[in-house]
Structure formats: structure tokens, C-alpha cells
Amino acid sequence: MISTSSSTSSPSSGVGSFIHSYGSKKFIRPKSDDVLDAVAQARFNEKKWVWIEDDNEGYVRGHVVKEEEDTVEVEYENGGTAIVRVCTIKPMNPPKFDMVDDMAELTHLNEPSVIHNLTVRYKTNRVYTYSGLFLVAVNPYRKLPIYSEEYIQSYKGKRRGEMPPHIYAVADQAYHDMVQDKENQSILITGESGAGKTENTKIVIQYLTAVATTTNKPTTNILQTQILQANPILESFGNAQTIRNNNSSRFGKFIRIEFNNRAQICGANIEWYLLEKSRVHQQTSKERNYHIFYQLLEADEETKKQLLLTDQAQDYNFIKHSNKRIEGVDDAEEYRNLCKSLEIMGLVEKEKIDLFRIVASILHLGNISVTDYRDRADIRDFSVVERVCHLLGISAEDFKKSLLAPRIKAGRDWVTQAKSPTQVVASLDALAKTLYERNFAFLVERVNKAIDGQKSKDKLGFIGVLDIAGFEIFESNSFEQLCINYTNEKLQQFFNQNMFELEQEEYQKEKIAWNYIDFGNDLQPTIDLIEKTNPVGILSCLEEECVAPRGSDGRFLEKLNKFCDKDNPEAKYKSTRFGDGFILRHYAGDVEYSVDGWIEKNKDPLNEDITRLLARSSQKHVALLFEDYLTDDGPSVAPVKSDYTSSFASMLKLKKGSGSFRTVGQRHKQQLLALMNTLHMTHPHFVRCILPNNRKHAGEIQTKLVLDQLRCNGVLEGIRICRKGFPNRLSFDEFRKRYQVLCPYLLDREAFIDGRTACQMLVNQMQLDGDKYQIGTTKVFFKATVLADLEELRDGKLSVCITKFQAYCRGGIARQYQTRFSRQTDAIRVMQRNARIYVSLREWPWWKIYAKLKPLNAAYRVDSKMREKEQKIIVLETQLKEQQASLGEAVMRNQELEGEHQDFKELIIAEQTMLRELEESKEDLLSKFTAAEERVEELEVELKEKTGQYEQAKRVQDEEIDQLHTQVDTSKLVNDRLNGDLERKKEENMQIKDQLKQINDEKEQLQLQLTDLKNENIAALEKNTEHQKLLQEQNTVQKEKITTLETEKSQLAEHISVQEIELYNLKSSLENEKNLKEEKDTKCAMLESELNSSRSALKTEAEQKQDWESKYNDLKADWEELTALVRAESDQAKARMFKFDQVLSGLKFFQK
């Protein structure tokens, strides 16, 4: 179901609403009034409406009365006529183009059409509008309900065009492109002060942190909170109240948000540009210094005591002449929010005090009063100097000496130079600006350290958000305006190249005839004039004059005029009439610059004697800020702590002895070069913020002011580029559907014709000029105003068709009215005739008698009705008896069923008892089965152990048997060897016996040898016999062991077989129990089903019984009512008969 009761924005707001649809919220666009649109279109078609230039309002509405060659006569919408030149009027778009989401869709792309579309959208709270690649954002000057969590979720993952224009759509497109294309993205937000750049930057960061949150990790949530809390810190130190804006950013910033491969935020970094330092010591009465100065005066007493501050802004010269309060802003609350944000960033109390110490010292610096004493500067109130030096951690005497008579190095010697009061005051202002700038740079780097996140290699890319001031054209434009306009010139060139590069890529993709145009070259001459060194440009000429010993603003202007001023009327540089400046032609218009004070502003000089003193401060924070002035020889770049190396290190001046020094113009040029290199490596998205009026009123548009901003922001420049191409395009299907009405009989609706051929046939039939359109592969491209002409032709054709249709409809309606009128006339005539007849019959006697007798006819029908009632009573009595009989049978059946129910109940109880017993026996069997399984497992484990022991013992015995066999074999070999020896000895003995006879002398010796040999032989035989006996005994023992082990193995096998038989018996018994249980369960289920059927039958019988009883009661009541009715009708009939008899008797009497 869909409910609109929870819409988050009212329909009157014009921005749509949310509805609940199937558990989720969906955005519904506001519906237009078709009737009003048709009326407006008809009014527009009656005349040729145009925009007419007006000095006061820019452009006003009117229509052409008479046209001539060079002039036209026009009539203003508000009355009055005038004759104007053709070049001063612009064609007007049809009403259907009012409030279009994308101004590139306008058929007439001109200034009044753009400003009109923005105006009508702004007055209906549609503050965002597309203009090609631009998103134009107009400051609403009030809170709109379009930044809630519901809107964030509704824009998440949506393509452009699915939702109304919004800054969320741009941020989501950048996030989607980064994830899909793995390419870094950038969002460029520019505009004047008060146009809403800072707020839109915060909204972009808020959206990115919301959509990139997919985890609940504390570290991720802390990092996202720190990124969001960086804005309040930067606003306190970098924002101030101006005439146009209560919270104006006085610096530019590029916020880089890093994402990991999971598309989650893993870090961020902030780079800043062009801090407005002069605001530190001078403001107008309607403006304020930076917010932090006023917030510190509302700090707690302990902090103010530590910083030697009072609570009155009137006590400090640097802020006493400014606006003290901002309506609706509580500085005390803002100070508490600032402290909370600093704590979230991880700053400890000492770090916060160090930052505040610099701000407080600047306030005290402004209170130093410099007097003139004998043409030399002097300071009378030394207590103020002591306060400043106490906060800065330096010697008051040394500070005063360095301020009034600083040391200057002349060659190798140091000399003291006395300063005039004006020079001392300028030195104090310069010191205040430098202190604030360096403190701001340190703060930004400290914030970067906190939000940098963890260093990881799985980075997906980053989305950079650039918040920088737009093009500025004031009455008096100085060096600051040149830097800002130079930056915007580069950004506009970047936009031109990017925008038309994409446009021309689509032309190439559609394969249409097109010659490539480099629109970046349109702005290149102005950029070269500012930044080139050969030939000399404005910045390089300024650098040379700053380096020159006697450089001055006059010499600088003379050089510029000499190198740049040319007689060519198309030249970008021109000298002024009075010779006090020059005029530079930018894309937004011609700007006159005054060169007064440019040398000093570019050099940004400092009292280096004081800076060396600050570099040796006892306060570590102050010494760190001026660490590049540590040496006595002059400023040099010293190693800065590794935690703060990027933009803070870039603030430190280069060594003078190296032949160059850092100037403001040089530093800005290098920063801008780095920024442009970064942007060229990203896919850009453009947001142009517009200031609607100077009075900060919601719903008010000042046309001329907005037109100036559109020119300065490059919106009209983008439209100019768009006009050179083919800004309007339609797909083949859309073009055919919309404009086939101009040639209705050209295309055969039954035959197939491809889209390109059909579109070619249509444009040929329309006789369009070939230079005004191109047909691509999927679309038809048109030059500007071509679609407007086609729309006029289409409107004329539709007007003819609608006129014919209206004539047909009016004829049909008239005929229906005529038919209805004739039928009404016939009906009235019939009614009149019947009325006349009734009037004529009303006085006839027989009619009177008929009128009196007609009511009496009912008496004759009473008897028939009585008979019918009696028959009905008899039928009802019969039915009642039958119902009573059936009721008795139902009662008997009910009693029988109740008895059966009781029997079934007892049977169920018995079955439940049996079921419980079976469950108990089942549990016992299961426990036994479990125990048996455990016993089997134990036996199996024991069997495995014994089998292992048996196998191990068998292996050992086998090894011993093998050894014994080896020994037996060895003994046999020894025995065989001895037997062989014995045989040899016998043979020798026989030889000896044979020789005994021959050698008698050796007889005794041989006998002795024979005896010895016999003894040895006997010993060897005995030894062999004993060894054989020992082997036989060991073999016998081994055989007995083997026999014993085989016996044990057979016993174990028998035991295992017994256990397996027992286990099989247990399993079979368990299966029998399971089968028995299943049978019991089946029987119980059958009994329960029979019981349920019996219950349902009983219930049916009881319901029938109740029905019969209710019918019986109804019949009884009907019978009583019928009896009473019959009696009443009988009485009435009797009364009528009596009255009829009286009437008859009366008639008889009259007849007599």
C-alpha cells in the first residue's frame, strides 16, 4: 500500500516529496498543471514573444508588433510600446521550457532565457539547475528540506536525470565514476562571496561520508567524524563576515578525500590558497575579522587569563571598528564547538593554547601605540609590548629594539637603521599578517595529520573538492584580484577543454562531420600575458621589479606598457587613460587593475630582526613557525619536523644568498600549477554558485547581479561554446515520434523503415539546411534554435488539428443538446395531456363512485387469503412434526456418539499408557545399545593394541630366529672346515706313518705332534657338539613362544567373534523395537484420526441440533405471529363485512 501521509516536504515547496511504497521511501516529482500549461502555450502561440534589453532589469518580456529591416516595434508585457534595434531583442522559449532541469535543453540559448529559467526555478525552491556539464546552485538564504538522510539515500546510485538537479547528484556521480572507472575525481565549486560555496562544499563532504560508510569499525567512524569536524575548525580560522556573507571563506581550499579498494574513506588532505591576510588588521564597519578573534573573547575565564585577554572587542584596535556581533550567531557556543572539534582532531590542551596564543598576541600587537619623537618612532606604553612578548616567549627589550631600530646586514657588517612611525606601524601590520598566516598553515597541517588515516597500498583513488573564489570585478581591483582572476582563467580554460572535448568525443562516436576546435586556446593569450616569462608577462615583470634595488610601482607599470601595450584593438592588454594602471581582457569581461602597492604586496616584507628573535622563542610553537630564520646570516630553509612538511614548509622563505626569494606571486603560481596538474589527472565535475541578491533575502533575484555572475562563472561562456556545436539532440525514435506529425503521409506505417533512414526522409521533407543538423548513428543533432523552429511548425500543425477536433467536439455536443431538448419537449407534452384528462374526469359521478368502491374490493379477497393461511399453517405443522422427529433422532445419535467418544477416550488413554511403556523400553534399549557400542569400541581398541604387540613381538622373534639360523649356518661352516682339517691331518698322519719307517730320528717328535693334533681335534668336536645343543635349545624356546602367541591370537579372534555376535543381536533387537514403535505410532495415528473424525461428527451433530432448535424456535415464533395476524385479519374482515352490510342496507333504503 502507498501512503502519502509521511511526505517530508510540502507540495508547495516545489521540490517534490517522499512516499512510502512497500516498506521503502520513494521520491515523487511535483506534477505540473496541464491546464495552466495549455493556457500558457495557447497565449504564447498568439504572438511572437521576445526578450528586450532593459537598463534597470536587464531584460523584460514583450511581443513584436511590427518588424522592419533593422528595427522592430515591440509592446511590453506591462504596457507601452517602443521601437528597438533587432540586435537588442532575443527570442523567447515556449512555456513548456520553463523550469527545465538542464538549461542546455533550451531551444533558444541566450542570456535572458537562462536568467528566466533560473528565476522561475528559484522562486519555487528549485535552487539547483544543470547547465550542460555545470550545476548552477543559487543561494536560497534559508534552510530547505532537501538535505535530509532520506534525500541522501534517494540520490544514492541514481543516474543523472532520474532525480531533480542537486549537489548530491554531482557528488554521487563523482563517487560512482571513481568506483567504476578507477579514476580520480574532482568537484570544482566556484562563485562570489556569499554564493554558498562553503555550504555546498560541506554538503558534498557530508554526502560522501554518508554513502561511503559500509562498516561499523570504530577507526573508520572516527576518521569520518574528523573529516566532518575539519570544517568548523577551518571556518573559525579562515572565515569572516563580509558585506555579502556572514560566513565567507577568505581562502581557497582543495579537500582531497581518499578511498580504499572497498570504496570506503581511508584518509583526507587539505590544501589552501590565497588567504586574505590584510583582513587581520583592517576591516570595514559592516564586516568582521576572522571568527576566531571574537570567539576567543567569549572563552572561559581561565583561558582568557592565560592569554591576557578581556571580554570586550572595543579594547583591541584590530577589531574595535568592525561589526561586533552577527545576528543569530553565538560566539561563545561557536568557541565551545571549536574546542570540541579540536579535541576530536586529537589536539591536546597545550596545542590548543599554542594556537590561541598566536591569535591573542596579534590582538595585543594592534594595541602597540607608536609615537613620533624627534622624527624617530617611539613606544610609550611598554606594558603592551610586555604582554605581546610574554605570549610570544621573547625578550620585550630586544623586541622593542628590533622593532624601532632593526639590524640590517650591509656586506659583512651589521648596521642599525632607525625607522619612522609609519614604517614601524607597517612592520607591526606585516608581523601580524605573517603570524596569522603561518599559524593558519600550521593548523591546516595539524588537521591533515589527524585526517590522513592509515597508510595503505590498497587505495582506490580520491575525490577532490575545490572551494575557491570566483571571478572578481570591483570598482578598484588590485593584486589580490589579479591572482584570483588568473586562477579562474586557468580553471575556465580547464573547463572549456574538458567540456568540449567530451562533446567532440560524442560527435566522433556518432560519426558526424565535424572539424576539431581547441576552445582552450580562446583563453590562452590572457593566461600567457599573466604568467609567461618570454616574452615578459605581468607576474614575471613584477618579479623583476621586486628584485631590482629601486623597484617601484611606477617602473613596473612603465615596463608593462612597454612590453604589452599594443595598438591592436583585439589586444588583451591596454593601458588606462590616466596611466595609473592597466586593463586586462578576461573571458568574463574587461577588468581595470590599479598597480598601487603591488611591489610591497608581492614582496610581503618582514622585519627580519624580529623574525630571528621569534625563531629563538622560548615557546616551541612560535619557534617552529619561524624555524627558517634560525641563523644569524639571514633566512634559510631549515629542516622542518617530519609531521608538517607540505604546505607549512612551502610557507618558509628561501635563502636570500641563493640569488632569489619567494614572493606571493611566485608561490601562488607554483600552487596553481600543482593544482592544475592534479585536476588534469582527475575527471572533473563543475558547480557554479550564484548570489541571488545583495540584501540576503530569500526568494529575490536581482537580474543584473546574476547576469554578471553568470558571465564571471563561465556559465554563459559554456553556452557560447555549446552554440558552436550541436547542443540539441534527439534519438531517432524520439525525433520520429515527435515530428512525424509535420509529414504524416511520408512514412508507411505498415512497412519497416530503419530509424536513420526515417529521420533522413523527415528532415529532407522539412527542407532543413544541411549546416543546421547532422545525423549520427543513433541520434539527430541540431544547431541552436533549430528545434525551436521545428516546435513552432509542430505547434501550428497541432493547432490546426486541435481546432478541427474542437469543432467536431462542439458539433457533437450541440447535437446531443438538441436531441435531449426535443425529448424533454415530447415528455412535457405527454405530461400535460394526462393532466388535462385527469382534470376533466375528476368531476364525473361514475368516477366518484369508482373512487369510493375501489378500496372495498379488498374484502372479497379476505376469504381466499384465509384459506391460503390455513393451508400454510397445516404445512408448517407438518414440517414442525418432521423436525421434532429428526431432532429426537439427532439426540439419540448424539448420545450414541457420546458413548463412543467415551470408549475412544479410554482406548486412547490405554494406548498412551502403552506408548509410554514402549518409550521407556526404547530408552532402556538405547542405553544398552550405547553401552554395547562403547564396549565394542573398547574391545576394538584393546584388540588393536594386542595385535600391534603381537606383530611387534613376532617381528622381534623373526629377527632372533634369523640370527640363530645365521649362527647355525656359521657353525656348520666351522664344523665342515674342522672336518676338512681332520681329514687332512689323517692323511698327513698316514704319510707320517709311511715316512716313520724312513725317518726314525723324527719319530718321537711326530708322535708328539700327532698327540697334540688329536687333542685339538677332540676339543673342537666337543665344542661343536655343545654349540649344536645350545642352538637346538634356543630353537625349541622360540617355537614355544610362537605357539603361545598363536594361541592368544586364536583366543582374541574367538572373543571378537563373540562380541560381534552379541552386537548383531543387539542391533536386530533394536530394529525390532523400532519396527514395533512405528507400528504403535501408526496405530496411534489411526486412532487419533478416528477420534478426530468422531469429534468432527459430534460437532456436526451438535451444530445440526442447534440449527434444528433455532429453526424450531423460529417456526414457533412464526406460528404465533401468523395466528395473531390471522385473528387480526379475521376481526378486520368481520368489521368490513359489517360495514359493507350497512352500506348495502343504506343503498337499498335509497332505492326505495
Side-chain angles (χ1 to χ4, degrees):
M1 297 296 291
I2 296 177
S3 173
T4 59
S5 59
S6 60
S7 60
T8 60
S9 60
S10 62
S12 61
S13 64
V15 295
S17 58
F18 287 92
I19 65 169
H20 288 285
S21 177
Y22 300 100
S24 62
K25 288 190 176 182
K26 294 185 177 179
F27 182 82
I28 301 298
R29 290 174 179 261
K31 293 184 178 180
S32 59
D33 193 331
D34 296 335
V35 176
L36 293 178
D37 290 346
V39 172
Q41 185 66 38
R43 180 172 176 265
F44 180 83
N45 292 337
E46 292 174 356
K47 303 170 185 177
K48 184 178 180 180
W49 290 89
V50 293
W51 295 104
I52 309 161
E53 288 187 8
D54 184 76
D55 295 335
N56 297 326
E57 299 184 15
Y59 293 93
V60 294
R61 299 166 65 99
H63 63 273
V64 176
V65 178
K66 183 179 179 182
E67 292 186 65
E68 296 181 2
E69 291 184 0
D70 298 330
T71 61
V72 292
E73 183 180 353
V74 295
E75 181 178 346
Y76 294 102
E77 186 180 34
N78 297 329
T81 60
I83 298 176
V84 297
R85 291 180 299 168
V86 175
C87 61
T88 61
I89 64 172
K90 303 291 183 182
M92 185 184 298
N93 289 294
K96 70 175 183 178
F97 288 102
D98 288 347
M99 294 195 298
V100 293
D101 288 346
D102 191 347
M103 291 187 292
E105 297 174 2
L106 296 174
T107 56
H108 296 297
L109 289 172
N110 49 49
E111 290 185 359
S113 298
V114 171
I115 190 65
H116 171 70
N117 190 67
L118 288 177
T119 301
V120 293
R121 288 181 63 84
Y122 182 69
K123 290 182 178 179
T124 56
N125 292 332
R126 294 176 172 92
V127 296
Y128 295 107
T129 308
Y130 293 124
S131 178
L133 295 183
F134 279 128
L135 175 71
V136 179
V138 187
N139 192 343
Y141 277 126
R142 63 174 175 179
K143 292 184 178 179
L144 295 177
I146 58 175
Y147 303 107
S148 61
E149 182 65 26
E150 292 173 344
Y151 272 87
I152 291 177
Q153 295 303 322
S154 66
Y155 278 88
K156 186 176 180 180
K158 296 295 175 62
R159 293 190 297 271
R160 175 171 168 169
E162 293 183 7
M163 296 289 290
H166 202 291
I167 191 72
Y168 287 163
V170 177
D172 189 79
Q173 185 66 43
Y175 181 74
H176 176 269
D177 291 348
M178 180 196 66
V179 174
Q180 293 295 324
D181 302 335
K182 303 295 188 295
E183 183 181 5
N184 296 327
Q185 307 290 313
S186 61
I187 301 175
L188 284 67
I189 304 175
T190 61
E192 286 193 9
S193 175
K197 301 186 301 297
T198 303
E199 290 301 319
N200 280 291
T201 300
K202 291 193 289 187
I203 291 169
V204 168
I205 296 173
Q206 172 203 3
Y207 183 85
L208 292 176
T209 54
V211 299
T213 303
T214 57
T215 180
N216 293 324
K217 291 183 179 179
T219 55
T220 305
N221 294 332
I222 291 173
L223 178 60
Q224 292 171 354
T225 303
Q226 288 177 333
I227 293 173
L228 291 174
Q229 291 301 317
N231 272 314
I233 298 173
L234 296 180
E235 286 182 7
S236 292
F237 284 86
N239 288 26
Q241 183 191 27
T242 62
I243 296 176
R244 291 183 174 180
N245 188 4
N246 291 339
N247 188 32
S248 175
S249 294
R250 307 317 299 162
F251 69 103
K253 58 180 176 288
F254 184 72
I255 303 174
R256 184 198 307 253
I257 302 177
E258 303 278 354
F259 295 84
N260 57 24
N261 286 330
R262 296 180 298 279
Q264 300 168 357
I265 295 177
C266 64
N269 182 270
I270 301 171
E271 298 176 11
W272 60 277
Y273 312 93
L274 296 174
L275 178 69
E276 188 185 10
K277 299 184 292 182
S278 60
R279 182 170 292 272
V280 173
H281 64 87
Q282 61 181 10
Q283 317 90 33
T284 65
S285 59
K286 295 182 181 180
E287 296 183 333
R288 295 215 312 177
N289 206 329
Y290 291 102
H291 294 323
I292 185 62
F293 290 99
Y294 306 92
Q295 292 172 5
L296 271 187
L297 299 183
E298 301 293 337
D300 57 279
E301 294 299 327
E302 181 63 28
T303 302
K304 288 194 288 187
K305 182 179 179 182
Q306 195 171 354
L307 300 177
L308 309 177
L309 293 175
T310 64
D311 54 0
Q312 296 296 324
Q314 201 66 28
D315 297 338
Y316 303 99
N317 292 332
F318 278 171
I319 61 175
K320 66 188 298 185
H321 301 295
S322 65
N323 184 27
K324 309 302 185 300
R325 299 284 178 186
I326 302 176
E327 184 179 355
V329 177
D330 184 1
D331 288 324
E333 182 65 25
E334 295 297 324
Y335 172 76
R336 288 191 288 271
N337 293 337
L338 171 64
C339 292
K340 183 179 179 181
S341 299
L342 290 173
E343 289 175 1
I344 292 174
M345 286 295 170
L347 273 74
V348 298
E349 189 66 25
K350 186 179 183 308
E351 289 180 294
K352 291 191 288 185
I353 293 297
D354 286 341
L355 292 171
F356 297 155
R357 187 190 306 279
I358 302 299
V359 179
S361 65
I362 292 172
L363 286 176
H364 290 299
L365 269 176
N367 287 350
I368 296 179
S369 178
V370 182
T371 60
D372 189 357
Y373 179 72
R374 295 180 182 179
D375 297 331
R376 298 183 63 180
D378 192 14
I379 298 175
R380 297 290 177 86
D381 188 2
F382 192 66
S383 61
V384 180
V385 177
E386 289 178 329
R387 291 193 191 95
V388 173
C389 295
H390 171 74
L391 292 172
L392 296 177
I394 58 178
S395 169
E397 290 293 340
D398 293 343
F399 177 77
K400 181 180 178 182
K401 188 185 300 183
S402 299
L403 183 63
L404 300 179
R407 293 189 308 154
I408 299 175
K409 193 170 186 179
R412 296 183 178 180
D413 300 327
W414 291 89
V415 297
T416 302
Q417 182 183 21
K419 295 288 187 180
S420 65
T422 305
Q423 292 174 326
V424 172
V425 171
S427 180
L428 287 172
D429 292 343
L431 178 61
K433 293 188 292 184
T434 302
L435 278 169
Y436 195 82
E437 185 181 30
R438 292 190 173 221
N439 193 48
F440 182 78
F442 177 85
L443 173 64
V444 173
E445 283 307 302
R446 183 62 182 83
V447 170
N448 285 338
K449 179 186 175 183
I451 63 178
D452 190 30
Q454 297 180 352
K455 299 292 183 183
S456 60
K457 295 182 180 179
D458 63 339
K459 286 188 177 181
L460 175 65
F462 69 84
I463 297 178
V465 184
L466 178 65
D467 171 12
I468 200 164
F471 205 93
E472 294 183 351
I473 305 177
F474 299 144
E475 293 181 2
S476 176
N477 301 284
S478 188
F479 180 66
E480 293 83 1
Q481 279 68 49
L482 178 71
C483 292
I484 292 173
N485 294 342
Y486 167 47
T487 302
N488 280 274
E489 198 83 27
K490 295 281 285 186
L491 293 175
Q492 184 64 30
Q493 183 189 40
F494 173 68
F495 165 74
N496 291 356
Q497 292 172 338
N498 183 78
M499 173 185 176
F500 221 72
E501 182 179 349
L502 295 178
E503 191 78 5
Q504 293 179 131
E505 281 179 3
E506 183 164 4
Y507 296 163
Q508 185 177 3
K509 178 182 176 182
E510 290 288 332
K511 298 180 180 178
I512 65 175
W514 175 257
N515 295 324
Y516 184 81
I517 302 174
D518 188 0
F519 284 92
N521 289 332
D522 290 357
L523 309 181
Q524 194 61 42
T526 304
I527 295 173
D528 291 342
L529 189 59
I530 297 174
E531 68 178 9
K532 260 202 169 182
T533 57
N534 187 20
V536 66
I538 295 174
L539 291 180
S540 59
C541 185
L542 184 60
E543 294 291 326
E544 291 178 3
E545 200 60 28
C546 288
V547 175
R550 295 182 180 180
S552 65
D553 298 329
R555 285 179 51 181
F556 163 64
L557 185 59
E558 289 176 4
K559 284 185 179 181
L560 278 182
N561 291 334
K562 178 181 178 182
F563 289 111
C564 303
D565 193 8
K566 298 177 182 178
D567 295 334
N568 184 5
E570 299 297 327
K572 301 293 184 180
Y573 178 94
K574 291 181 181 179
S575 58
T576 58
R577 180 179 179 184
F578 299 102
D580 57 348
F582 60 92
I583 298 173
L584 197 59
R585 179 170 295 175
H586 294 279
Y587 72 90
D590 293 345
V591 183
E592 182 177 344
Y593 294 98
S594 173
V595 298
D596 186 22
W598 279 36
I599 301 297
E600 292 296 321
K601 290 179 180 178
N602 192 41
K603 288 165 56 173
D604 200 13
L606 274 177
N607 187 330
E608 296 182 3
D609 207 14
I610 295 178
T611 56
R612 287 191 292 271
L613 190 62
L614 292 171
R616 294 189 292 270
S617 170
S618 60
Q619 295 290 342
K620 293 183 180 180
H621 177 65
V622 177
L624 177 63
L625 295 183
F626 293 90
E627 192 174 10
D628 51 327
Y629 287 92
L630 272 176
T631 62
D632 290 334
D633 295 335
S636 63
V637 175
V640 185
K641 290 185 179 180
S642 60
D643 291 341
Y644 314 105
T645 57
S646 61
S647 63
F648 179 64
S650 70
M651 288 292 304
L652 304 181
K653 292 181 177 288
L654 295 174
K655 199 172 184 181
K656 279 188 178 179
S658 61
S660 64
F661 64 95
R662 196 72 169 270
T663 62
V664 174
Q666 182 184 359
R667 188 174 73 228
H668 178 63
K669 183 178 177 181
Q670 292 179 357
Q671 284 182 327
L672 182 58
L673 179 62
L675 173 64
M676 297 310 299
N677 289 336
T678 301
L679 293 179
H680 278 291
M681 292 187 294
T682 64
H683 177 72
H685 307 265
F686 301 93
V687 179
R688 295 296 186 257
C689 299
I690 300 296
L691 179 72
N693 57 76
N694 288 323
R695 303 194 299 166
K696 304 178 185 177
H697 286 184
E700 179 183 345
I701 287 279
Q702 294 176 357
T703 304
K704 297 193 72 176
L705 175 65
V706 175
L707 276 174
D708 291 339
Q709 294 176 79
L710 291 176
R711 295 188 185 104
C712 294
N713 274 331
V715 176
L716 299 180
E717 176 74 4
I719 293 175
R720 181 188 70 82
I721 295 174
C722 196
R723 290 175 66 87
K724 288 188 176 294
F726 298 92
N728 302 119
R729 63 208 63 182
L730 292 172
S731 65
F732 291 155
D733 187 50
E734 291 176 352
F735 180 77
R736 185 175 178 178
K737 286 181 180 178
R738 187 163 187 83
Y739 298 109
Q740 190 174 357
V741 68
L742 299 178
C743 310
Y745 305 109
L746 179 63
L747 302 177
D748 187 2
R749 297 182 182 274
E750 301 297 330
F752 169 76
I753 304 176
D754 65 274
R756 197 175 193 282
T757 305
C759 292
Q760 186 68 59
M761 294 171 65
L762 287 174
V763 294
N764 291 338
Q765 185 70 21
M766 296 173 190
Q767 297 181 354
L768 292 180
D769 189 357
D771 296 335
K772 294 184 178 181
Y773 74 91
Q774 289 285 345
I775 299 180
T777 56
T778 61
K779 300 176 184 177
V780 185
F781 294 79
F782 298 96
K783 288 281 189 180
T785 72
V786 175
L787 276 187
D789 298 336
L790 292 180
E791 283 294 324
E792 289 183 3
L793 294 174
R794 182 175 178 273
D795 291 340
K797 191 77 172 179
L798 291 178
S799 178
V800 173
C801 296
I802 294 299
T803 303
K804 291 181 180 179
F805 179 71
Q806 287 176 339
Y808 176 78
C809 291
R810 289 192 183 102
I813 292 171
R815 285 188 290 274
Q816 288 180 358
Y817 175 76
Q818 184 63 33
T819 303
R820 186 170 62 252
F821 181 76
S822 63
R823 290 178 179 176
Q824 289 176 352
T825 303
D826 294 340
I828 290 171
R829 288 173 181 172
V830 172
M831 291 172 65
Q832 287 176 345
R833 184 175 66 250
N834 291 336
R836 291 189 187 100
I837 292 171
Y838 175 75
V839 171
S840 63
L841 289 175
R842 188 173 56 184
E843 299 299 330
W844 191 32
W846 287 105
W847 176 260
K848 292 181 180 179
I849 293 173
Y850 173 75
K852 289 181 180 180
L853 292 178
K854 187 177 181 181
L856 299 177
N857 291 333
Y860 294 103
R861 293 192 296 272
V862 171
D863 291 337
S864 62
K865 289 183 179 180
M866 288 284 291
R867 286 192 297 271
E868 290 176 0
K869 295 290 184 183
E870 287 176 356
Q871 292 177 0
K872 189 174 182 180
I873 289 170
I874 293 170
V875 172
L876 290 173
E877 286 178 348
T878 305
Q879 291 178 355
L880 181 62
K881 288 179 182 179
E882 292 176 355
Q883 289 176 1
Q884 287 177 349
S886 61
L887 181 63
E889 293 177 358
V891 170
M892 294 295 294
R893 178 60 180 167
N894 188 20
Q895 291 176 355
E896 293 176 359
L897 291 174
E898 286 180 352
E900 292 178 359
H901 174 67
Q902 189 65 27
D903 295 339
F904 281 129
K905 192 173 183 181
E906 293 175 356
L907 182 61
I908 287 170
I909 293 171
E911 291 294 335
Q912 288 178 349
T913 304
M914 186 183 297
L915 186 62
R916 284 195 297 272
E917 292 176 355
L918 290 174
E919 290 288 341
E920 292 176 357
S921 61
K922 175 186 174 182
E923 292 177 357
D924 294 338
L925 289 173
L926 286 173
S927 61
K928 290 179 180 179
F929 178 70
T930 305
E933 285 183 342
E934 293 176 355
R935 179 59 181 166
V936 168
E937 291 176 356
E938 292 176 358
L939 291 173
E940 288 178 351
V941 172
E942 185 177 355
L943 176 61
K944 289 179 180 179
E945 292 177 354
K946 289 185 177 181
T947 303
Q949 293 175 358
Y950 166 73
E951 291 177 353
Q952 185 176 3
K954 185 177 180 181
R955 284 195 299 272
V956 172
Q957 289 176 358
D958 291 339
E959 291 175 356
E960 292 178 354
I961 291 170
D962 292 338
Q963 292 176 359
L964 290 174
H965 281 302
T966 303
Q967 292 177 0
V968 168
D969 294 337
T970 305
S971 300
K972 286 181 179 180
L973 292 173
V974 172
N975 191 16
D976 292 339
R977 184 171 58 80
L978 293 175
N979 289 328
D981 293 340
L982 182 60
E983 290 296 328
R984 286 195 300 273
K985 295 296 183 181
K986 286 181 178 179
E987 291 176 359
E988 291 176 357
N989 192 12
M990 290 300 294
Q991 292 175 0
I992 292 169
K993 285 182 178 180
D994 294 336
Q995 293 176 2
L996 183 61
K997 294 178 181 180
Q998 299 176 2
I999 308 171
N1000 292 323
D1001 297 336
E1002 298 178 352
K1003 183 178 178 178
E1004 294 178 358
Q1005 184 177 0
L1006 291 172
Q1007 287 179 352
L1008 291 173
Q1009 290 178 351
L1010 181 62
T1011 302
D1012 294 335
L1013 288 171
K1014 285 181 180 180
N1015 292 331
E1016 288 178 1
N1017 190 11
I1018 291 168
L1021 288 172
E1022 289 176 355
K1023 186 176 182 180
N1024 187 14
T1025 303
E1026 290 175 358
H1027 190 64
Q1028 286 180 354
K1029 288 181 180 179
L1030 180 63
L1031 287 175
Q1032 289 176 357
E1033 290 176 356
Q1034 289 180 353
N1035 193 9
T1036 303
V1037 172
Q1038 293 294 333
K1039 287 181 179 179
E1040 289 176 356
K1041 286 182 179 180
I1042 290 170
T1043 304
T1044 303
L1045 290 173
E1046 287 177 351
T1047 304
E1048 290 180 355
K1049 180 178 179 181
S1050 61
Q1051 290 177 355
L1052 284 173
E1054 290 175 359
H1055 186 67
I1056 288 170
S1057 62
V1058 172
Q1059 291 292 332
E1060 288 177 349
I1061 293 169
E1062 185 178 358
L1063 180 62
Y1064 176 79
N1065 294 331
L1066 288 173
K1067 287 183 178 179
S1068 60
S1069 62
L1070 180 61
E1071 289 178 353
N1072 293 331
E1073 290 294 334
K1074 286 182 179 179
N1075 295 330
L1076 182 62
K1077 181 185 176 184
E1078 290 177 354
E1079 293 175 358
K1080 294 291 183 181
D1081 292 339
T1082 305
K1083 190 174 182 180
C1084 289
M1086 293 172 61
L1087 291 173
E1088 286 179 354
S1089 62
E1090 291 177 359
L1091 179 61
N1092 291 330
S1093 61
S1094 300
R1095 287 176 179 173
S1096 61
L1098 286 173
K1099 186 176 180 181
T1100 305
E1101 293 291 340
E1103 290 176 353
Q1104 290 179 354
K1105 179 180 178 182
Q1106 291 178 357
D1107 292 336
W1108 285 116
E1109 287 178 352
S1110 62
K1111 289 180 180 179
Y1112 174 75
N1113 293 330
D1114 294 337
L1115 289 172
K1116 189 175 182 181
D1118 291 338
W1119 173 257
E1120 291 175 353
E1121 290 178 359
L1122 183 61
T1123 305
L1125 182 63
V1126 169
R1127 288 175 182 173
E1129 289 181 353
S1130 178
D1131 294 337
Q1132 290 178 1
K1134 289 178 180 179
R1136 289 174 182 171
M1137 289 295 294
F1138 179 75
K1139 187 182 289 186
F1140 185 73
D1141 291 337
Q1142 288 180 349
V1143 171
L1144 289 176
S1145 62
L1147 290 173
K1148 290 178 180 179
F1149 177 76
F1150 283 119
Q1151 290 177 358
K1152 290 178 180 180

